[in-house]
Amino acid sequence: QVLAWGLRGLRGGVRAPSLEVQCGGHTLRTPTITDLATNPNFPINAFLLTLLLPAQEELVPPLRLRVLDTRDFGYRPEVGQACVRGLGQFYCQPHGQGQPHSQGEHPSPGTPQPGFSPSSSLCSLQILPRITTEKGTAGKAAEEEEEDEDEDEDDWWSKFYAAMGDKAKSRRGTKRDRLKIYSCELEAVPEFEGLQDFCQTFPLYQPGGHPSAGDDPVGEFKGLFHIYPLPEDPGASPPPRHFQELPPSQPQKCLVRVYIIRAFDLPPRDRNGLCDPYVRVSLGTKTLGQRDQYVPNTLEPVFGRMFEVTGTIPLEKDLRVTLVDYDLLPPDQEIGTTTIDLENRLLSRYRAHCGLPTLYHTTGPGCWRDQLPPSRTLERFARTRGLPAPEFNAEGTAVTFGDHLFLLSHFESSPPRQRHPGAPRERLALHVLRACHLVPQHLETRTLYNSTQPGLEQGKVQLWVDIFPASLGPPGPAVDITPHKPQRYELRCVVWNTRDVDLGDINLVGQQMSDIYVTGWLDGLEEQRQRTDVHYRSLQGDGAFNWRFLFSFEYLVAEQLCVLPRKEHFWSLDETVLKVPPKLILQVWDNDKFSADDFLGVLELELTRLPRPAQHPQDCTPTLQGTPQSPWPWQGKRVPSQFSLFRQKRARGWWPCTVQEGDKRRLSGKLELSLELLTAKEAEERPAGKGREDPNMYPTLPAPMRPEWSFLWLQAPLRTLRYTVWQQHRCRLSLALALLLLFALLLTFVYAAPGYFAMKLVNPLQSLHLAG
């Protein structure tokens, strides 16, 4: 039995083609397509061809397809041909015999399966109760895990990060509203049979020879073959035919929404080893995408863009998504292209035109976006499978579908906690649809190729496509996938005190001391480096500062990264955006006047995973303590060892300062800090100055209380001697001075005694008196 659906992409001015199917000496001719440009489908689609085939598959002759065009004067040239081998993949039982196979039991191509019918229903009703039970159990477990989660609905990016396994970037409440990310094209997912379950695509080649691997096809034939045995008794009635329930073969006008999320592993196109990609979407003669909307200097661009285009399927069935590298002087270079067959997705029985979400919402970021509500979608699903329509009870909490009863309590053990859950009827219909293994809400990863380098991958792009036929009414609202803009924050770090800092210098009397000061900056923003004043002559590693650091930065909440736009060179046209974790770096130094300052220790604090500080300096240790274990259950919940400053906003305490020695880090001091995180608006409403400058508010920082000997020795040398020598050795100095005076007196006596005794012996004054 032959399903001849239509011909696509024929070249060379073909007017009115027809198809010939030849096998085993028999030929089947289809009616002519009268107007290929208006409707490329055949007017009659289902045909029967009776053949005598050998039982051994190796001896089965191939199918030969010939496309003939109708020209003037009865001329019918051959414009395309194809040869289909390995007919075992089309073997099946007569319609109505055997049970349909469940998901995952489809035969692989090339393997004869006499008990399998490719046209059978996707949903095996015999296994639906088992699926329902498993689903209900999983739902209960998920609800138990989410008892403490917020009711607020999260945006699409939160679901994306949750699906990527990044729990830190995904917000709470996204565990149940899941997003499936496929690491390949949707056509390559095994359970969806390449989306060719309704009809397959057979490439047509130039007639007159055997096509080789490098030949380009001249067109495509869309169709399917079913081979099944007929009764050996000539008088027996033939079995019912396949291909009874076929969709309309007329072209459909559709609205196509293409969501481009990101690309990665792109090849470099510029001299700096990067590229400036932008997206171009083409359907038929329509092309969307502007070259000025490029992402500069990156090989992993995040686009977050949605393109909306209308087209007539199958006349415009091939959607082309191209990444192009922007150049200052056109033409731009094509990076790679991927092509999506929209017709296969629209005709597939797996409902690939719009993925099914996990939860049903009537409003909000996860609002139902399909044209038909889940209940009508389930009715349409049953009609296309030849099943009776589902019957709901009055409350919408139970449905009879395929001779089975499904209860909403099987899927939801408690009332939904989201704000807009929708009617029970619609929620139950969605649960039943998801149990039928249809295409879920997803994100596919497609490989890019370039015609100048055939067969070589040019990177990958992650996207999904929604197709909405105009005959079904207007679609729901589009999903907002706009990337989050970074927000401006201000970090206020007050350095209060230090304790037990290493002493790196020795004073005049041999005492160990340090002239301590602290520097700080945010990782990646070294130009904002700030430093405190110097606490001179710290004899025990204690320092008092009361000094405020102010750091302004842009933070991307969705990715929990700081955004650092900067130009690599002064001649660069665009800024390169770097993303780094928000990390505060504080270093303790010993100030020296005539040599380089001595490094005493460092403290690195990642603001999203901030270790909980100690409230007392004696409790501050260099190793991060784990979650405190309480032996008494009545002492409440355990306090986590890490927290996010973006949630807590404020923190104060003692953090350890360490230094690297060999393979280990040693405690080299302790810093008492207070950290406060404010948005740009809050910082404007509560101004504060750097250090102790005006406006000295929030909080007001007084001058530090330092010892009298904490000053620079060059400013007052005598005071330096007073506090270094006199206070330590006053007794010895007093004794030394007394001995020095005594020694001076002794020297004076020794020096003056000989002259005095000589004068006494000679007595020259007496001789003068006698002479007078």
Side-chain angles (χ1 to χ4, degrees):
Q1 196 167 350
V2 179
L3 173 64
W5 189 248
L7 300 173
R8 308 286 183 262
L10 292 178
R11 307 175 184 176
V14 179
R15 300 178 183 177
S18 61
L19 177 69
E20 283 190 359
V21 181
Q22 299 177 356
C23 183
H26 297 267
T27 302
L28 170 67
R29 294 183 177 87
T30 65
T32 301
I33 300 176
T34 56
D35 192 351
L36 190 65
T38 304
N39 186 3
N41 292 332
F42 291 101
I44 301 176
N45 304 110
F47 302 92
L48 183 64
L49 182 62
T50 304
L51 303 172
L52 294 176
L53 299 178
Q56 293 81 4
E57 181 186 352
E58 295 80 5
L59 303 178
V60 176
L63 281 173
R64 186 185 179 192
L65 308 178
R66 298 177 64 228
V67 178
L68 306 176
D69 191 17
T70 302
R71 305 284 176 87
D72 296 336
F73 306 107
Y75 178 53
R76 295 175 58 84
E78 184 178 353
V79 296
Q81 67 170 0
C83 186
V84 182
R85 304 180 183 275
L87 301 185
Q89 58 180 318
F90 304 115
Y91 281 21
C92 63
Q93 280 192 350
H95 191 66
Q97 298 184 18
Q99 298 296 339
H101 289 245
S102 62
Q103 181 72 16
E105 297 179 358
H106 299 295
S108 58
T111 304
Q113 297 286 339
F116 171 71
S117 173
S119 64
S120 61
S121 170
L122 300 177
C123 175
S124 178
L125 298 178
Q126 285 72 19
I127 66 170
L128 271 178
R130 175 177 59 84
I131 297 176
T132 303
T133 304
E134 295 175 356
K135 191 77 174 181
T137 305
K140 293 179 182 179
E143 290 173 0
E144 291 176 358
E145 294 176 357
E146 296 176 3
E147 288 180 355
D148 299 330
E149 294 203 355
D150 299 332
E151 294 181 359
D152 296 337
E153 297 177 2
D154 296 300
D155 58 2
W156 184 89
W157 286 98
S158 295
K159 293 191 290 186
F160 170 74
Y161 289 122
M164 293 288 291
D166 196 337
K167 297 181 180 180
K169 296 181 182 179
S170 62
R171 299 179 186 175
R172 302 173 65 186
T174 59
K175 192 177 298 184
R176 292 190 61 197
D177 197 3
R178 300 179 184 91
L179 175 71
K180 179 67 175 179
I181 297 183
Y182 295 110
S183 60
C184 59
E185 292 81 357
L186 192 62
E187 292 83 358
V189 179
E191 55 263 31
F192 299 142
E193 300 182 64
L195 300 181
Q196 297 191 21
D197 50 285
F198 175 77
C199 63
Q200 297 184 11
T201 302
F202 301 92
L204 301 173
Y205 296 93
Q206 194 73 30
H210 297 284
S212 59
D215 292 346
D216 294 331
V218 297
E220 295 175 349
F221 163 67
K222 291 226 177 238
L224 193 63
F225 306 100
H226 282 175
I227 302 175
Y228 54 89
L230 293 178
E232 297 182 0
D233 186 6
S237 58
R241 294 187 180 184
H242 295 263
F243 311 127
Q244 296 297 320
E245 297 290 339
L246 297 178
S249 62
Q250 297 297 323
Q252 302 184 63
K253 189 174 182 180
C254 299
L255 174 68
V256 181
R257 290 174 178 168
V258 187
Y259 297 86
I260 311 295
I261 306 303
R262 64 168 187 159
F264 53 92
D265 295 341
L266 298 182
R269 295 292 181 180
D270 298 334
R271 306 182 90 182
N272 58 359
L274 303 173
C275 61
D276 309 316
Y278 65 92
V279 182
R280 183 180 294 164
V281 175
S282 303
L283 181 63
T285 58
K286 305 179 184 67
T287 301
L288 303 178
Q290 300 177 1
R291 66 188 303 266
D292 58 348
Q293 296 176 338
Y294 63 93
V295 183
N297 300 331
T298 180
L299 297 179
E300 297 182 354
V302 176
F303 298 107
R305 296 202 57 201
M306 189 273 291
F307 298 90
E308 194 171 81
V309 61
T310 57
T312 303
I313 299 177
L315 299 177
E316 301 166 323
K317 72 177 186 66
D318 290 329
L319 177 72
R320 292 172 55 87
V321 177
T322 305
L323 294 190
V324 187
D325 176 51
Y326 172 85
D327 290 327
L328 183 61
L329 298 177
D332 299 335
Q333 302 180 56
E334 178 182 336
I335 299 176
T337 302
T338 182
T339 304
I340 303 174
D341 193 327
L342 300 180
E343 184 182 13
N344 284 349
R345 302 195 174 206
L346 191 61
L347 295 176
S348 175
R349 301 172 188 266
Y350 290 99
R351 198 181 177 277
H353 68 277
C354 186
L356 292 172
T358 307
L359 302 177
Y360 179 74
H361 299 276
T362 56
T363 58
C367 178
W368 180 262
R369 67 181 188 273
D370 204 352
Q371 297 163 287
L372 301 179
S375 58
R376 291 189 58 190
T377 303
L378 185 61
E379 295 174 1
R380 181 184 174 97
F381 175 82
R383 184 170 60 253
T384 56
R385 302 304 183 274
L387 301 174
E391 298 180 1
F392 292 87
N393 63 353
E395 295 80 10
T397 57
V399 61
T400 302
F401 182 55
D403 298 330
H404 292 273
L405 178 65
F406 301 97
L407 302 178
L408 186 61
S409 59
H410 291 166
F411 303 94
E412 300 176 3
S413 60
S414 61
R417 288 184 295 274
Q418 61 265 27
R419 293 186 176 181
H420 308 283
R425 174 190 179 98
E426 306 301 336
R427 302 203 310 269
L428 178 57
L430 178 59
H431 288 308
V432 176
L433 284 171
R434 287 186 58 85
C436 296
H437 304 288
L438 304 180
V439 174
Q441 182 177 250
H442 67 278
L443 189 67
E444 58 178 307
T445 305
R446 303 191 66 88
T447 304
L448 300 171
Y449 294 97
N450 196 318
S451 58
T452 60
Q453 296 176 321
L456 296 179
E457 295 186 4
Q458 303 296 321
K460 296 181 182 295
V461 59
Q462 288 186 325
L463 55 86
W464 89 87
V465 180
D466 288 341
I467 309 171
F468 304 107
S471 58
L472 299 181
V479 181
D480 185 12
I481 59 171
T482 304
H484 296 101
K485 301 297 182 181
Q487 302 180 16
R488 175 69 62 174
Y489 282 88
E490 183 176 274
L491 175 65
R492 297 180 179 178
C493 173
V494 178
V495 182
W496 296 99
N497 300 290
T498 63
R499 291 287 186 275
D500 303 332
V501 175
D502 289 349
L503 304 178
D505 289 340
I506 298 177
N507 59 14
L508 297 176
V509 295
Q511 290 180 321
Q512 288 188 333
M513 53 159 280
S514 286
D515 299 329
I516 303 174
Y517 71 92
V518 181
T519 64
W521 69 93
L522 287 178
D523 189 17
L525 296 173
E526 286 78 8
E527 63 273 9
Q528 294 188 11
R529 181 191 296 264
Q530 303 172 39
R531 59 173 290 177
T532 65
D533 58 351
V534 182
H535 184 112
Y536 291 101
R537 301 186 53 76
S538 175
L539 302 178
Q540 296 179 352
D542 300 344
F545 297 96
N546 298 353
W547 196 273
R548 182 187 292 112
F549 292 152
L550 298 181
F551 304 108
S552 180
F553 63 98
E554 291 185 346
Y555 179 70
L556 199 57
V557 180
E559 301 183 24
Q560 297 187 356
L561 296 173
C562 287
V563 178
L564 309 176
R566 60 183 59 182
K567 290 187 177 182
E568 295 184 354
H569 309 284
F570 69 90
W571 62 81
S572 301
L573 298 177
D574 300 296
E575 293 180 334
T576 301
V577 178
L578 302 178
K579 296 180 181 180
V580 298
K583 182 187 295 184
L584 174 64
I585 302 176
L586 298 174
Q587 292 182 348
V588 183
W589 291 82
D590 174 40
N591 182 66
D592 291 327
K593 285 298 180 183
F594 302 106
S595 61
D597 295 348
D598 298 324
F599 175 73
L600 300 180
V602 64
L603 170 63
E604 297 183 358
L605 299 175
E606 190 168 340
L607 303 184
T608 56
R609 296 184 300 170
L610 199 66
R612 195 163 297 277
Q615 298 304 313
H616 305 283
Q618 58 270 21
D619 299 331
C620 185
T621 58
T623 57
L624 180 63
Q625 298 296 328
T627 303
Q629 300 288 338
S630 176
W632 311 109
W634 56 80
Q635 289 186 355
K637 292 186 177 180
R638 297 175 296 178
V639 179
S641 59
Q642 293 181 342
F643 64 95
S644 174
L645 191 63
F646 292 90
R647 292 184 180 179
Q648 189 165 315
K649 299 298 183 182
R650 294 178 181 86
R652 179 168 179 171
W654 292 86
W655 279 276
C657 185
T658 59
V659 65
Q660 187 75 29
E661 288 186 352
D663 297 335
K664 298 181 180 180
R665 300 198 68 86
R666 177 183 59 84
L667 179 65
S668 62
K670 303 170 185 178
L671 289 175
E672 184 184 12
L673 310 172
S674 64
L675 304 177
E676 184 179 9
L677 196 63
L678 295 87
T679 62
K681 183 178 181 180
E682 294 171 345
E684 185 178 356
E685 294 173 351
R686 303 171 55 197
K690 295 181 179 180
R692 292 184 293 273
E693 299 175 356
D694 293 332
N696 189 0
M697 299 184 296
Y698 308 110
T700 301
L701 301 179
M705 301 295 293
R706 293 173 178 170
E708 296 179 355
W709 59 81
S710 179
F711 58 88
L712 181 61
W713 66 273
L714 290 176
Q715 296 176 351
L718 295 180
R719 288 181 62 193
T720 303
L721 292 176
R722 172 189 172 188
Y723 289 109
T724 57
V725 180
W726 176 252
Q727 287 188 354
Q728 298 290 332
H729 307 282
R730 63 179 67 185
C731 296
R732 296 180 182 177
L733 289 176
S734 300
L735 181 60
L737 287 175
L739 293 176
L740 183 62
L741 290 174
L742 183 61
F743 183 71
L745 291 174
L746 181 61
L747 287 179
T748 305
F749 174 77
V750 172
Y751 176 77
Y756 177 77
F757 288 125
M759 291 292 291
K760 285 292 185 179
L761 293 175
V762 176
N763 196 5
L765 295 179
Q766 183 177 3
S767 62
L768 290 176
H769 287 296
L770 293 176

